Amino acid sequence: MNNLFEGTRMQDERVEPRRDRREQRRAAEARRRRRRRRSVVVLAVAVAMVVALTVWAFPRVRDMVVDRPSAAATDFPGPGQGEVEIQVPSGASGAEIGLILEEGGVVASQRAFTEAFSENVNAARIQPGTYTLLQEMAAADAVAALLDPANKAEVTITVPEGFHADQVYERIANVAELPLEEVEAAAADPAAIGLPEEAGGKPEGWLAAATYSFQPSDDAETILAAMVDQTVSRLDERGVPADQRQEVLTKASIVEREVNLPEYYGHVARVIENRLVDDGDVNHRLQMDSTVLYGVGKVGGVPTREDLESDTPYNTYKNPGLPPTAIGAPGTAAIDAVLNPPAGDWLYFATVNLDTGETKFAATLEEHNANVAALRKWLADNPQSEG
């Protein structure tokens, strides 16, 4: 009995620990399930809070990104008032122009102009220069105004072919509204206007015949320098050596003044070349009316007997060779004629019809006299055109 009891007691003692371990495992599993439920609840609450915050913040962020910049692009209603001159630099971007206009009171904001600039397909064609604009313009109107050539405040000066230097000075003074004395003083300073050394300090012939655009603020030196530079560029483009520039301009200026029709320029250039080397009938004398008239201070017409007897270095009836300077501003056609005259043995020419400019060329004095007779007949038949 004791052995049996003892065996039973020992068996009960082995079973009890197993029960305790199962209870412990069940308790631990219950605790893990509770922790998982709490984690799910916390995560759900966090997600809900993020969603709520996003829903609340998105409209405000959208307004900051989209609405506020457009609201900042303030613009004037236009059409504007008063006047102001604005300088658009070369190579300026739309934003740079907008800043200049904003500072000048033309547009309300740089951004408004930049937006209007990007919306106008022609805006890239805005040219540098000075413009006269209204103040307080709508940005789109400002873009359109800069594209309108009528608003460009430029000084346009045209130097016609054949103009004497004195005529050029007068035109600059009148058009640019500068004192004539100021223009003449600038012309007397070769270094200031970039006059090449071979010009001998004389601008005559170096003020290129052309149409120029200047800013209202440009002074006489700037204007004259541009004209000299144009002449240098033309000669360089044609490969004229520096030591031949003065000679080419002098010959071309005579060609320009002697005939009115470019179709005769080459023939006159050939006559000049032939006379300079002839040691017979003309003996190196050009005998050109245009040079005689220049020497006595006349612009055009027919020289009088007194003019022909004048004692000036420009009287090519008396003095052999070329005159000391050009006698006007030659155009490119006259320069090209001097550089490439046609072949021919002409020593003389005469205009036989003053209305049409018809001109005849001769190799001998006898032929020339016949052409002069034709001119006299035309004058007799057209007395209203004489002089």
Side-chain angles (χ1 to χ4, degrees):
M1 290 293 292
N2 287 337
N3 289 340
L4 178 61
F5 176 77
E6 287 293 331
T8 303
R9 185 170 60 86
M10 292 176 62
Q11 183 177 2
D12 290 342
E13 289 176 352
R14 287 194 297 268
V15 171
E16 187 63 32
R18 286 199 295 268
R19 289 176 180 169
D20 292 341
R21 286 195 293 271
R22 283 198 297 270
E23 290 297 330
Q24 291 173 355
R25 285 197 297 270
R26 283 197 294 270
E29 181 64 25
R31 286 194 298 271
R32 283 195 293 271
R33 284 196 296 270
R34 287 194 297 272
R35 284 197 297 269
R36 283 198 295 269
R37 284 197 295 270
R38 285 197 297 269
S39 298
V40 170
V41 171
V42 171
L43 179 60
V45 171
V47 170
M49 291 177 64
V50 170
V51 171
L53 181 61
T54 301
V55 171
W56 173 84
F58 176 75
R60 290 158 179 79
V61 173
R62 179 196 60 199
D63 291 346
M64 292 174 61
V65 173
V66 178
D67 293 341
R68 289 187 63 182
S70 61
T74 54
D75 197 2
F76 290 129
Q81 59 185 348
E83 280 189 357
V84 62
E85 284 194 351
I86 295 295
Q87 178 77 36
V88 175
S90 179
S93 66
E96 290 169 335
I97 297 173
L99 180 59
I100 293 170
L101 296 182
E102 179 184 345
E103 293 175 346
V106 176
V107 299
S109 67
Q110 177 192 32
R111 185 175 183 84
F113 179 84
T114 304
E115 291 178 354
F117 185 95
S118 64
E119 292 171 0
N120 191 313
V121 296
N122 296 315
R125 298 179 183 177
I126 293 175
Q127 298 295 310
T130 302
Y131 294 82
T132 302
L133 303 175
L134 299 176
Q135 291 185 307
E136 299 184 4
M137 300 180 72
D141 292 344
V143 175
L146 291 173
L147 288 167
D148 187 350
N151 294 318
K152 209 167 185 185
E154 291 182 334
V155 176
T156 301
I157 299 176
T158 298
V159 176
E161 288 83 354
F163 247 35
H164 296 174
D166 287 341
Q167 293 174 292
V168 177
Y169 303 154
E170 291 176 1
R171 177 153 295 186
I172 292 173
N174 292 333
V175 177
E177 299 181 350
L178 296 170
L180 179 59
E181 296 78 10
E182 182 179 320
V183 180
E184 292 173 338
D189 188 347
I193 64 174
L195 197 64
E197 184 178 352
E198 58 268 23
K202 305 294 184 182
E204 188 67 85
W206 289 88
L207 307 176
T211 296
Y212 303 86
S213 293
F214 299 102
Q215 300 303 317
S217 58
D218 287 339
D219 58 17
E221 291 180 357
T222 301
I223 294 172
L224 290 170
M227 296 177 177
V228 172
D229 183 67
Q230 179 71 3
T231 294
V232 173
S233 296
R234 288 177 178 175
L235 296 175
D236 286 348
E237 288 170 0
R238 290 160 174 78
V240 179
D243 61 354
Q244 296 179 24
R245 289 170 173 173
Q246 184 67 34
E247 178 181 338
V248 169
L249 290 175
T250 300
K251 291 176 179 178
S253 69
I254 296 172
V255 169
E256 195 73 69
R257 299 293 301 184
E258 282 292 328
V259 287
N260 296 326
L261 300 178
E263 62 191 85
Y264 297 129
Y265 283 1
H267 290 66
V268 175
R270 174 53 64 188
V271 169
I272 291 174
E273 298 298 332
N274 291 342
R275 281 179 168 260
L276 288 173
V277 299
D278 179 77
D279 54 7
D281 291 347
V282 299
N283 195 23
H284 309 290
R285 291 173 297 167
L286 294 182
Q287 297 179 327
M288 299 288 177
D289 291 352
S290 59
T291 64
V292 173
L293 292 168
Y294 182 88
V296 297
K298 294 182 178 179
V299 175
V302 178
T304 65
R305 182 169 297 278
E306 183 180 359
D307 295 335
L308 294 172
E309 293 296 328
S310 62
D311 187 15
T312 77
Y314 294 89
N315 189 337
T316 53
Y317 281 89
K318 290 185 174 183
N319 304 306
L322 292 170
T325 70
I327 61 171
T332 55
I335 293 174
D336 290 339
V338 167
L339 295 176
N340 293 288
D345 57 358
W346 313 293
L347 283 173
Y348 307 91
F349 63 94
T351 299
V352 299
N353 186 314
L354 300 184
D355 285 345
T356 64
E358 180 186 359
T359 301
K360 291 188 176 182
F361 295 81
T364 67
L365 183 58
E366 181 180 2
E367 292 172 336
H368 178 61
N369 287 337
N371 293 336
V372 172
L375 170 61
R376 289 173 179 159
K377 181 180 184 304
W378 185 90
L379 290 172
D381 294 340
N382 302 271
Q384 71 280 4
S385 298
E386 188 171 0

